């Protein structure tokens, strides 16, 4: 015997500081009496919440979890609500919220200015609290980025054309809040001016005589610092100059 159970109000996801108290709501209709049972999911394990058998589930936020509500009738027909996420921010001070917070978005993480080489990944991040949980929309130079609608903006291979001023809008049914605007520069890695001058001098010398280019590396990313490169470069440059070479020395 089947009777349709229709959920008329789904619970909604929230993004709140630790210790914040709120209520998840679920409403359903059918031609017979209904029973409710709430479940939570933590680390891929779904657990029935003892005693959570009412339409409203009061929660004091402690850790990020997923929740759903099962609604069944006396004939054992049952439906489940949408899964919703209760995102809990453990390191956010309650004082960051307005005194009479109504759930409007409050930005707690702004993107940061970056310089990225061409072809390297670009990652920008933001985060906001809100009840319901905010949705996100990124902008570059005032233009909507159609496919960037998450807290993280990810471009795996940045191009020069990706340079610009970025910001994100967090919004929900209570309003919207914008992050800080940050400048992102995408370009090739440039050498220090002193090195550029030495290399220019080297190119100029190519047509004039014997040239020696000495490079002494002292600092390596995955090797202990060496002790002798500076001394070696100095001694070799003196010797080569005695042999009539024009010498260009570079260190690190």
């Amino acid at each position: 015997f089947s009777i349709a159970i229709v959920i008329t109000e789904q619970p909604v996801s929230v993004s709140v500081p630790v210790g914040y108290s709120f209520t998840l709501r679920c409403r359903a209709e059918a031609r017979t009496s209904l029973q409710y049972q709430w479940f939570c999911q933590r680390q891929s394990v779904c657990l029935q919440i003892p005693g959570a058998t009412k339409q409203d589930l009061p929660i004091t936020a402690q850790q990020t979890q997923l929740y759903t509500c099962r609604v069944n009738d006396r004939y054992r027909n049952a439906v489940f609500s949408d899964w919703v996420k209760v995102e809990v921010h453990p390191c956010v001070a309650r004082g960051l919220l307005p005194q009479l917070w109504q759930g409007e978005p409050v930005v707690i993480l702004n993107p940061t200015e970056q310089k990225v080489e061409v072809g390297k990944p670009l990652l920008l991040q933001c985060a906001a609290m809100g009840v319901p949980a905010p949705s996100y929309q990124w902008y570059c130079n005032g233009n909507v980025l159609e496919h960037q609608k998450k807290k993280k903006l990810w471009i795996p291979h940045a191009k020069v054309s990706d340079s610009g001023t970025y910001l994100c809008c967090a919004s929900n049914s209570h309003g919207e809040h914008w992050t800080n605007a940050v400048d992102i520069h995408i370009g090739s890695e440039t050498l220090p001016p002193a090195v550029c001058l030495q290399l220019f001098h080297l190119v100029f010398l190519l047509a004039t005589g014997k040239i020696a280019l000495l490079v002494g590396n002292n600092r390596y990313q995955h090797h202990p610092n060496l002790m002798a490169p500076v001394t070696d470069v100095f001694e070799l440059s003196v010797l080569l100059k005695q042999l009539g070479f024009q010498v260009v020395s570079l260190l690190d």
Side-chain angles (χ1 to χ4, degrees):
F1 184 63
S2 178
I3 297 178
I5 302 173
V6 178
I7 295 182
T8 57
E9 182 180 348
Q10 295 278 4
V12 296
S13 297
V14 302
S15 180
V16 296
V18 66
Y20 185 79
S21 297
F22 61 97
T23 300
L24 291 180
R25 294 166 51 89
C26 181
R27 298 290 187 272
E29 292 180 353
R31 294 181 181 178
T32 183
S33 59
L34 297 174
Q35 296 177 326
Y36 293 78
Q37 176 62 59
W38 289 88
F39 296 80
C40 67
Q41 180 175 321
R42 184 187 317 140
Q43 297 177 345
S44 301
V45 178
C46 186
L47 304 171
Q48 180 173 307
I49 304 174
T53 57
K54 296 182 179 180
Q55 296 174 321
D56 293 347
L57 177 66
I59 295 175
T60 298
Q62 296 299 329
Q63 57 186 319
T64 297
Q65 292 186 141
L66 300 176
Y67 291 84
T68 187
C69 184
R70 183 190 67 205
V71 185
N72 63 274
D73 60 22
R74 58 184 178 178
Y75 302 106
R76 296 188 178 180
N77 299 303
V79 296
F80 281 84
S81 73
D82 296 339
W83 281 97
V84 294
K85 184 177 184 179
V86 174
E87 184 179 32
V88 180
H89 300 278
C91 300
V92 175
R94 290 292 297 275
L96 186 65
L97 295 175
Q99 188 170 7
L100 298 176
W101 189 47
Q102 300 297 314
E104 66 275 12
V106 175
V107 171
I108 58 173
L109 175 64
N110 281 283
T112 56
E113 185 173 327
Q114 294 186 43
K115 293 183 179 179
V116 178
E117 289 185 55
V118 172
K120 297 292 186 180
L122 169 63
L123 173 63
L124 297 177
Q125 299 185 76
C126 71
M129 295 186 296
V131 181
S135 58
Y136 297 87
Q137 177 61 66
W138 286 89
Y139 294 78
C140 179
N141 297 328
N143 299 315
V144 174
L145 299 176
E146 292 292 347
H147 303 295
Q148 300 291 355
K149 298 178 181 292
K150 298 181 179 180
K151 288 186 288 186
K152 293 183 179 181
L153 179 149
W154 170 254
I155 299 175
H157 305 288
K159 306 183 295 294
V160 173
S161 59
D162 293 320
S163 298
T165 302
Y166 286 75
L167 75 168
C168 186
C169 179
S171 62
N172 64 13
S173 55
H174 296 291
E176 62 184 29
H177 197 162
W178 295 76
T179 67
N180 296 338
V182 295
D183 292 327
I184 304 300
H185 175 72
I186 313 296
S188 301
E189 186 174 5
T190 57
L191 295 171
V195 175
C196 291
L197 183 62
Q198 283 186 295
L199 292 176
F200 176 79
H201 183 57
L202 173 62
V203 172
F204 175 77
L205 290 173
L206 282 173
T208 63
K210 296 185 295 184
I211 303 153
L213 172 63
L214 301 180
V215 179
N217 285 324
N218 183 50
R219 297 182 178 86
Y220 289 87
Q221 185 175 359
H222 302 294
H223 192 282
N225 289 351
L226 303 179
M227 300 299 295
V230 175
T231 304
D232 292 344
V233 167
F234 175 75
E235 292 180 352
L236 280 172
S237 66
V238 171
L239 177 61
L240 289 168
K241 286 178 181 178
Q242 291 174 352
L243 296 175
F245 280 84
Q246 298 283 345
V247 179
V248 176
S249 301
L250 301 176
L251 295 176
D252 292 325

